[in-house]
Amino acid sequence: EDQVTQSPEALRLQEGESSSLNCSYTVSGLRGLFWYRQDPGKGPEFLFTLYSAGEEKEKERLKATLTKKESFLHITAPKPEDSATYLCAAGAAGNKLTFGGGTRVLVKP
Amino acid sequence: GEEVAQTPKHLVRGEGQKAKLYCAPIKGHSYVFWYQQVLKNEFKFLISFQNENVFDETGMPKERFSAKCLPNSPCSLEIQATKLEDSAVYFCASSRPGTGGWSPLHFGNGTRLTVT
């Protein structure tokens, strides 16, 4: 059975304190690894797609990387507006995403 | 439109009543997905469509849940005889046809269903 696990469940950071979020996956026939940001009361907002091991994508203070078993979302010098839940999801054959449980990030000024 | 539009935002139903949720995908997107989000961010896949055809319905509780995507109409998810455990946020997402890889899913802001 396909499985995606995110850690930690929650992360409290001071503004400017860089950190990394982990997403480990066991998925048959991975077609893509997706990162989303979700704010309270909103739907997930697409951030990145990673397709193959070694790939990296960057957007502002966020950088996502992918290995054969894990993906990392690095947050560099975070700001309070980076506070959100970050979701990792694996896409496999059948056009279906398997989501992890998310990491709630709180950045304090 | 440029966003996935879900209506209503909130829906309250008494146990045993019917609930119907609507989703207008982004124009040009041919795939539509329904997910159920319950406690602790758990997303459960329900069903997907390619245009008006069911693509994958392996997540649908067959007895009470049904969904449609008809031409020129919003897609819909209907729950007959709601139960307390159906209380959740239901998200709709759409995506473009893939070109060799996966196209990302774009999500609406969800419909919060509360069954009392």
Side-chain angles (χ1 to χ4, degrees):
Chain A
E1 185 183 325
D2 295 344
Q3 199 162 358
V4 177
T5 305
Q6 290 188 247
S7 62
E9 284 191 13
L11 193 57
R12 291 168 69 101
L13 300 170
Q14 285 297 128
E15 186 171 1
E17 179 188 359
S18 303
S19 189
S20 292
L21 283 57
N22 176 266
C23 169
S24 61
Y25 61 90
T26 308
V27 172
S28 301
L30 181 77
R31 303 276 297 275
L33 191 292
F34 298 81
W35 281 97
Y36 285 86
R37 168 192 171 125
Q38 187 176 23
D39 293 297
K42 301 283 188 182
E45 176 190 342
F46 170 70
L47 293 173
F48 304 109
T49 310
L50 300 164
Y51 290 109
S52 56
E55 192 174 357
E56 296 184 352
K57 294 264 177 83
E58 277 188 77
K59 180 179 179 178
E60 295 180 358
R61 294 175 293 283
L62 301 176
K63 182 166 111 174
T65 61
L66 182 66
T67 71
K68 286 187 178 177
K69 292 194 184 296
E70 291 176 305
S71 179
F72 295 93
L73 184 68
H74 309 278
I75 311 179
T76 303
K79 298 183 177 182
E81 53 261 44
D82 295 323
S83 298
T85 296
Y86 291 86
L87 297 162
C88 165
N95 213 37
K96 188 163 61 180
L97 287 183
T98 301
F99 278 87
T103 296
R104 290 189 316 278
V105 174
L106 176 63
V107 182
K108 300 203 129 192
Chain B
E2 293 300 315
E3 292 183 344
V4 175
Q6 290 189 249
T7 56
K9 286 187 178 177
H10 302 280
L11 192 57
V12 180
R13 288 289 179 265
E15 207 172 1
Q17 291 185 317
K18 184 174 77 176
K20 196 163 184 178
L21 291 61
Y22 296 93
C23 168
I26 293 172
K27 194 175 178 181
H29 284 196
S30 54
Y31 287 95
V32 171
F33 305 78
W34 286 99
Y35 281 84
Q36 180 193 55
Q37 186 180 32
V38 291
L39 294 174
K40 297 185 78 173
N41 294 319
E42 182 187 327
F43 277 81
K44 182 190 171 193
F45 169 79
L46 294 176
I47 191 169
S48 61
F49 288 84
Q50 183 178 12
N51 297 309
E52 61 266 28
N53 304 307
V54 174
F55 191 82
D56 182 344
E57 59 182 346
T58 52
M60 283 285 270
K62 295 264 170 50
E63 305 80 41
R64 298 180 297 107
F65 285 59
S66 63
K68 290 179 188 176
C69 275
L70 299 175
N72 303 314
S73 296
C75 296
S76 63
L77 176 69
E78 189 168 327
I79 309 172
Q80 302 284 344
T82 53
K83 296 184 177 181
L84 295 176
E85 61 258 33
D86 298 331
S87 294
V89 182
Y90 291 82
F91 285 101
C92 175
S94 68
S95 71
R96 290 184 289 108
T99 51
W102 264 68
S103 291
L105 274 62
H106 295 270
F107 285 81
N109 284 327
T111 292
R112 179 176 296 278
L113 172 66
T114 303
V115 182
T116 61

